[in-house]
Amino acid sequence: MTLFQNVTLIDEMGNVTPRTDLLVQGGRIAQIGAAIPCPPGAERIDCTGKFLTPGLVVLHTHTPMNIFRGIAEDVNIDDWFNRELWPFESKMTEQDIYWGAKLACAEMAQNGVTAFADHYFGCQHIARAAGELGLRCDLAYTIFGFGGDPEPELQKAEELLAAYAGNEMVHLRIGPHSPYICSPQVLRRLVEVARQHGCGIHLHVSETAEQVKESYQKFGKSPFAVVAEAGGFTVPCIVAHALYIQKEDLPLLAGDTFVAACPKTYLKLGMGEGQLWQHWQSLQLGIGTDGAASSNTIDPLEQVRLFALLGKWADQAEQFTLPQMWQLLFAGHRALPFGAGRLAVGAPADLALWDLDTPATAPVYDPLAAILYSASAANITHTMVAGRFVKKEGRLQVDVTAITKQVADCAAAITRRGRGESKVYF
Amino acid sequence: MTLFQNVTLIDEMGNVTPRTDLLVQGGRIAQIGAAIPCPPGAERIDCTGKFLTPGLVVLHTHTPMNIFRGIAEDVNIDDWFNRELWPFESKMTEQDIYWGAKLACAEMAQNGVTAFADHYFGCQHIARAAGELGLRCDLAYTIFGFGGDPEPELQKAEELLAAYAGNEMVHLRIGPHSPYICSPQVLRRLVEVARQHGCGIHLHVSETAEQVKESYQKFGKSPFAVVAEAGGFTVPCIVAHALYIQKEDLPLLAGDTFVAACPKTYLKLGMGEGQLWQHWQSLQLGIGTDGAASSNTIDPLEQVRLFALLGKWADQAEQFTLPQMWQLLFAGHRALPFGAGRLAVGAPADLALWDLDTPATAPVYDPLAAILYSASAANITHTMVAGRFVKKEGRLQVDVTAITKQVADCAAAITRRGRGESKVYF
């Protein structure tokens, strides 16, 4: 039990309630109101001058790729995939997956993230890392397949789906890589399995202009249309990127489809302006980070800031407003099955506590502006997931040095091994 | 005296020297090399695994405007000036100037900044604030004037120039606001005075497309040509922004002219793409932040990251390379008269110490990538200016709570007073 006293609440819509109390009990928000009596045994935290928000969320990442952060710089997206990352990934070990994910979870806990949607191989290692850090995760069991037989991987995916069924901290879903790495037949089969399990899918769609062009050449339709035809939007669906979503794609998307924008990757890999900023209000948009191998950080606050700044750049300074960008920061929670991302009695106690009384953020005319445009992880003093602190008084509740030591060893081994053969062509 | 032991040096060019020592004595770098004996009385700092760089620099800001951080959000640049900031500034007090500048200096010390170039009124209050925080400053005594008589303000400027002559921590120069707020006659007069004192100027040029258009309408030439005709590039000159610099402007710039790019403001106020990214390699470019009232942070690392990302965005991922962006981060020092920004024996001991062994930055394949794309102020454990620590073991060496308390009081008073009459029209 934890009682946050004298705290200013900012809910997921941006509504501000000054100087109130919030009681956490049994992993959930038990009570909100002024002068809540402190129950016996409850930890009492004086939050005078501080701000409590829902925990942050990352709607698309590849946590194990934290192990490759900074390994491939100043390259375009084609070289990044084919000359750098896939060749390194082809020699990746289970240790790399586990320590990369653990590093990413540590980074996210620092950044106030309480839940993330991952898209990668080796989900069991990621689930273990997230569990050790105390974060909730939605893991897409990633499957490549262009004409190949997906059944052996599907069987493993179904075993993991069974293993984590009903788990409140770990959700499994199916992760077709994309309509350019999976054939329409494979896509259709993966969607069927996702429907049978009621678990949903998570895949990349329309990241680059080239992909859209090739899809029209190959299939006579857009990548979104290919996914729609495979039934992809008839199950709960997380779409990563959609940078080149076309106007004609919009009617294809169903109510349970969420799009994860990861602007730092688009910038860093020179992917161009795309159409996402034209259509974002027609989508259920959330904030992803992509993997740290392209975006170098797993920080949704940095990403939403970039999203807003890029939106405003060309004569739209009055748009991409504080309330809109605030809601976007938390919107990804609605795509996940945890019911978190809300400051309401009965909701999971997944929270971030902010100290804005710092040289980087003072003075505070509007806390939404202070957080969206000035704050960083350093302003988040506490991160709580399911009523447990994963960061407290500015410190992670795990041995950080042990993590970075192991990660350095993995990085040294990766450098020694060098690149292997890239296994994927498209 | 301070001995940094077992540290990896990264100089202003991006050259990396692993595991060496650096001795600071008399405010300067006294010795660099392996196994320097620790002189009696010297403070010894074990920097195993850490990185030492020159201190960072901000080539254009308005420190007192930190007091207005977050007061005017979601507005275009015209409303930002005329509906919001100038009306608030018209009611600004000397207390606001001092506490705003002090807050900005605290923020900069956190961010590893050791020197900054300011453009504002009330330079004596800014010099006092910078001195109390321990930072070096280059202050442009700002003068408006379109047809008005600049002599009374010039006289005050000359008094301050005399007062700080020969000061190693404070440099004064003349700060004509811009060719759109100063007439050609006033500009010419201000340049003359700057030449007499050998102090240089600092002014805004070609921030917006509109300014360039109006300059052609009014004077038949670009803003850069107007400044050139007034002799502005025949004295040491800091040009803020130059977002809409034209190709024809480039030959006008002389060897002592430096341009400060502040991309966050351009994005946030919807100022458009401009031409700066086309011409940046023809310029002596440095990184500014603009005032926190538009950019919300005084963080050159965030600004250089934005500069690089925006440069890469449209199909230029292989350009804006790590060494180039690293050099850009420190280039502003060359525009300032302190001789800092170098890791060389005899150079001022203006330094930043980085811990990259953190969940946000590990693993480190290349420290330039780790700093440029992943790090934040939280990775800077020590900031040293002239041999004195202004930040040490992650903490500022001043009473931060006292600063934010006074700043909150100023902000409350600003909110109570509200907007006044804007005094400037253009």
Side-chain angles (χ1 to χ4, degrees), chain A residues 147-170:
Chain A
D149 178 8
E151 296 306 324
E153 281 301 305
L154 263 177
Q155 196 177 327
K156 291 190 213 157
E158 292 190 77
E159 283 164 21
L160 274 187
L161 278 164
Y164 289 103
N167 192 308
E168 286 192 0
M169 300 296 286
V170 181

Side-chain angles (χ1 to χ4, degrees), chain A residues 66-71 73-76 103 106-107 110 264 266-273 277 295-297 302 305-306 309-310 312-322 357-363 365 369 373-374 396 400 404 407 411 414-415, chain B residues 66-71 73-76 103 106-107 110 264 266-273 277 295-297 302 305-306 309-310 312-322 357-363 365 369 373-374 396 400 404 407 411 414-415:
Chain A
N66 262 52
I67 208 77
F68 298 122
R69 164 165 38 213
I71 205 171
E73 299 291 320
D74 300 331
V75 291
N76 63 47
L103 176 68
E107 184 183 3
Q110 288 279 28
K264 197 172 173 189
Y266 314 151
L267 290 156
K268 194 144 177 285
L269 297 182
M271 290 162 65
E273 295 194 23
W277 278 264
S295 73
N296 299 61
T297 45
E302 181 187 35
R305 190 173 296 167
L306 284 172
L309 291 173
L310 293 169
K312 285 174 178 288
W313 194 9
D315 202 24
Q316 298 189 86
E318 301 93 335
Q319 297 180 43
F320 304 89
T321 62
L322 294 178
D357 188 27
T358 73
T361 46
Y365 294 96
Y373 289 113
S374 305
L396 293 187
V400 173
T404 58
V407 161
I414 287 166
T415 303
Chain B
N66 263 50
I67 208 77
F68 297 122
R69 164 164 41 212
I71 206 172
E73 298 293 318
D74 300 331
V75 291
N76 63 48
L103 176 68
E107 185 182 2
Q110 288 279 27
K264 197 172 173 189
Y266 314 152
L267 290 155
K268 194 144 177 283
L269 297 183
M271 289 162 64
E273 295 193 23
W277 278 265
S295 73
N296 298 63
T297 45
E302 181 188 37
R305 189 173 296 166
L306 284 173
L309 291 172
L310 292 169
K312 285 174 177 290
W313 194 10
D315 202 26
Q316 297 189 86
E318 301 93 336
Q319 297 180 43
F320 303 89
T321 63
L322 293 178
D357 188 28
T358 73
T361 47
Y365 294 97
Y373 289 113
S374 304
L396 293 187
V400 174
T404 57
V407 161
I414 287 166
T415 304

Side-chain angles (χ1 to χ4, degrees), chain A residues 8-182:
Chain A
T8 296
L9 302 182
I10 317 178
D11 73 12
E12 67 282 6
M13 301 305 291
N15 299 309
V16 178
T17 309
R19 292 185 67 78
T20 188
D21 294 354
L22 185 147
L23 178 68
V24 170
Q25 210 165 5
R28 295 187 171 264
I29 298 172
Q31 215 180 323
I32 297 175
I36 297 174
C38 189
E43 181 177 23
R44 181 204 307 252
I45 299 183
D46 177 17
C47 303
T48 304
K50 296 211 171 79
F51 298 83
L52 193 68
T53 70
L56 306 190
V57 56
V58 173
L59 193 53
H60 175 69
T61 189
H62 312 285
T63 50
M65 293 181 84
N66 262 52
I67 208 77
F68 298 122
R69 164 165 38 213
I71 205 171
E73 299 291 320
D74 300 331
V75 291
N76 63 47
I77 185 165
D78 191 52
D79 285 343
W80 186 86
F81 270 132
N82 292 307
R83 202 184 69 190
E84 303 290 340
L85 266 294
W86 275 336
F88 280 119
E89 281 179 314
S90 72
K91 293 187 142 193
M92 201 176 191
T93 68
E94 293 197 340
Q95 284 290 92
D96 294 335
I97 291 178
Y98 168 70
W99 285 110
K102 195 150 172 173
L103 176 68
C105 290
E107 184 183 3
M108 286 191 280
Q110 288 279 28
N111 292 341
V113 173
T114 55
F116 64 97
D118 212 62
H119 190 279
Y120 216 70
F121 318 100
C123 295
Q124 67 277 26
H125 307 298
I126 304 169
R128 184 179 146 216
E132 287 164 358
L133 264 293
L135 302 190
R136 294 188 206 263
C137 57
D138 180 301
L139 308 177
Y141 190 107
T142 297
I143 295 177
F144 280 22
F146 216 104
D149 178 8
E151 296 306 324
E153 281 301 305
L154 263 177
Q155 196 177 327
K156 291 190 213 157
E158 292 190 77
E159 283 164 21
L160 274 187
L161 278 164
Y164 289 103
N167 192 308
E168 286 192 0
M169 300 296 286
V170 181
H171 177 253
L172 257 285
R173 66 172 77 209
I174 306 288
H177 183 278
S178 59
Y180 63 89
I181 296 288
C182 295

Side-chain angles (χ1 to χ4, degrees), chain B residues 33-305:
Chain B
I36 297 174
C38 188
E43 181 177 23
R44 180 205 307 252
I45 299 184
D46 177 17
C47 303
T48 304
K50 296 210 170 81
F51 298 84
L52 193 68
T53 70
L56 306 189
V57 56
V58 172
L59 193 53
H60 176 69
T61 190
H62 311 286
T63 51
M65 293 182 86
N66 263 50
I67 208 77
F68 297 122
R69 164 164 41 212
I71 206 172
E73 298 293 318
D74 300 331
V75 291
N76 63 48
I77 184 167
D78 191 51
D79 285 343
W80 186 88
F81 271 132
N82 291 308
R83 202 185 69 189
E84 303 291 339
L85 267 294
W86 276 336
F88 280 119
E89 282 179 314
S90 71
K91 293 187 139 194
M92 201 177 190
T93 68
E94 293 197 340
Q95 284 290 91
D96 294 334
I97 290 179
Y98 168 70
W99 285 110
K102 194 149 173 174
L103 176 68
C105 290
E107 185 182 2
M108 287 192 279
Q110 288 279 27
N111 292 342
V113 173
T114 54
F116 64 97
D118 212 61
H119 191 279
Y120 216 69
F121 318 100
C123 295
Q124 68 277 28
H125 307 298
I126 304 170
R128 183 179 147 216
E132 286 163 359
L133 264 294
L135 303 189
R136 295 189 207 262
C137 56
D138 180 302
L139 308 177
Y141 190 107
T142 297
I143 295 177
F144 280 23
F146 216 104
D149 178 11
E151 296 307 323
E153 280 301 305
L154 263 176
Q155 195 178 325
K156 291 189 211 159
E158 292 191 75
E159 283 164 21
L160 274 187
L161 278 163
Y164 288 103
N167 192 308
E168 286 193 0
M169 301 297 285
V170 181
H171 177 253
L172 256 286
R173 67 172 77 208
I174 306 287
H177 183 279
S178 60
Y180 62 90
I181 297 285
C182 296
S183 69
Q185 295 73 15
V186 169
L187 266 185
R188 181 172 296 282
R189 173 76 181 121
L190 299 183
V191 170
E192 275 169 22
V193 174
R195 182 178 295 107
Q196 284 158 21
H197 289 270
C199 66
I201 62 171
H202 179 168
L203 80 176
H204 302 89
V205 186
S206 294
E207 294 161 78
T208 68
E210 194 63 22
Q211 283 165 11
V212 175
K213 198 175 132 200
E214 288 188 4
S215 182
Y216 275 101
Q217 284 171 356
K218 204 162 172 177
F219 303 114
K221 51 178 78 82
S222 77
F224 273 96
V226 172
V227 176
E229 202 160 79
F233 306 123
T234 64
V235 295
C237 181
I238 298 172
V239 171
H241 309 311
L243 180 60
Y244 284 87
I245 191 169
Q246 315 288 308
K247 197 177 174 190
E248 70 209 61
D249 295 328
L250 300 177
L252 302 173
L253 304 180
D256 250 1
T257 300
F258 289 80
V259 172
C262 313
K264 197 172 173 189
T265 289
Y266 314 152
L267 290 155
K268 194 144 177 283
L269 297 183
M271 289 162 64
E273 295 193 23
Q275 270 86 55
L276 187 56
W277 278 265
Q278 290 167 41
H279 300 310
W280 75 283
Q281 293 199 79
S282 308
L283 302 169
Q284 300 196 93
L285 197 69
I287 291 293
T289 61
D290 216 355
S294 58
S295 73
N296 298 63
T297 45
I298 309 288
D299 182 357
L301 187 57
E302 181 188 37
Q303 297 278 352
V304 79
R305 189 173 296 166

